[in-house]
Amino acid sequence: MSHGVGPWPGEQPPDDPRFDPELLAEGDRRNVIDHYRYWTMEAIVADLDERRHGFHVAIENWQHDMNIGSIVRSANAFLAAEVHIIGKRRWNRRGAMVTDRYQHVRHHEDVAAFAVWAAGAGLPIVAIDNVEGSLPLPEAELPEKCVLLFGQEGPGLSTEALAAASASVEITQYGSTRSINASAAAAVVMYEWCRRWA
């Protein structure tokens, strides 16, 4: 099963600087919505930059968590302003499905450096973790401009990350498991931010 579109069907390709001549000639099989078919990567990023939402996403990366790529993919889908990787610079890109090419990603050496950046940007940090004192997501405030901070699969957020946050939020669950997958949790909270503000 093939995805995307073949070469431009008309006799004359459109005279539009956003379009990539190679894609017009050979087809566009990329993982992009139809609106962006045949556009250059740079043109897509520029268009997204005109519309990005006010929330950022941050992820701790101490153990090369394979969920990070999926979180980046969801951040692109929900049009996050930027993704912040805290800890190890290298992260597993497989789950991103090349969406990291369209999503701004910034690295911070540790939580302290990230917290300094967030304070300088005037962005409150909202920790997402099911720890004591967390407010259920439906009751919690998600500011229009903020950073949603997620931990790793298993250990969750570090004590340093929780201390850097101005609020802590948890996703209400109804079954027997103590937690849900980190990338699933990130998608739920990003969707809720968009439901309130987009």
Side-chain angles (χ1 to χ4, degrees):
M1 179 177 172
S2 64
H3 299 278
V5 292
W8 184 260
E11 290 183 17
Q12 276 295 103
D15 183 20
D16 187 327
R18 297 172 301 182
F19 286 7
D20 184 319
E22 187 174 323
L23 293 173
L24 289 168
E26 299 179 7
D28 188 352
R29 307 291 181 200
R30 298 173 301 172
N31 180 22
V32 297
I33 61 174
D34 288 343
H35 175 73
Y36 291 131
R37 290 293 173 206
Y38 304 113
W39 286 33
T40 67
M41 185 178 66
E42 293 77 16
I44 294 172
V45 172
D47 190 65
L48 294 174
D49 285 348
E50 293 289 322
R51 305 182 292 108
R52 291 194 192 276
H53 291 140
F55 75 92
H56 294 238
V57 174
I59 315 133
E60 288 195 285
N61 182 32
W62 311 120
Q63 300 173 349
H64 206 60
D65 189 343
M66 66 182 191
N67 285 284
I68 291 177
S70 295
I71 294 173
V72 170
R73 183 179 181 182
S74 293
N76 171 269
F78 294 116
L79 205 56
E82 196 168 16
V83 173
H84 303 263
I85 309 294
I86 304 167
K88 293 182 178 179
R89 182 174 293 275
R90 293 185 62 197
W91 53 278
N92 190 326
R93 284 172 162 75
R94 184 174 180 189
M97 299 287 291
V98 305
T99 54
D100 53 307
R101 297 179 183 177
Y102 308 95
Q103 179 65 53
H104 300 298
V105 179
R106 184 190 303 246
H107 175 257
H108 303 272
E109 186 174 338
D110 52 29
V111 171
F114 163 71
V116 167
W117 173 86
L123 294 171
I125 299 169
V126 179
I128 313 297
D129 205 346
N130 57 351
V131 295
E132 187 175 350
S134 291
L135 282 174
L137 182 58
E139 301 169 22
E141 181 184 356
L142 294 178
E144 185 175 5
K145 293 185 182 295
C146 65
V147 185
L148 305 172
L149 175 59
F150 300 92
Q152 299 182 112
E153 190 75 21
L157 285 167
S158 66
T159 54
E160 294 84 2
L162 289 168
S166 58
S168 181
V169 174
E170 66 181 4
I171 298 169
T172 304
Q173 297 167 203
Y174 303 94
S176 63
T177 183
R178 180 188 172 276
S179 63
I180 61 175
N181 175 271
S183 61
V188 167
V189 178
M190 285 185 254
Y191 178 84
E192 176 62 14
W193 185 98
C194 290
R195 190 189 67 81
R196 298 184 193 187
W197 293 108

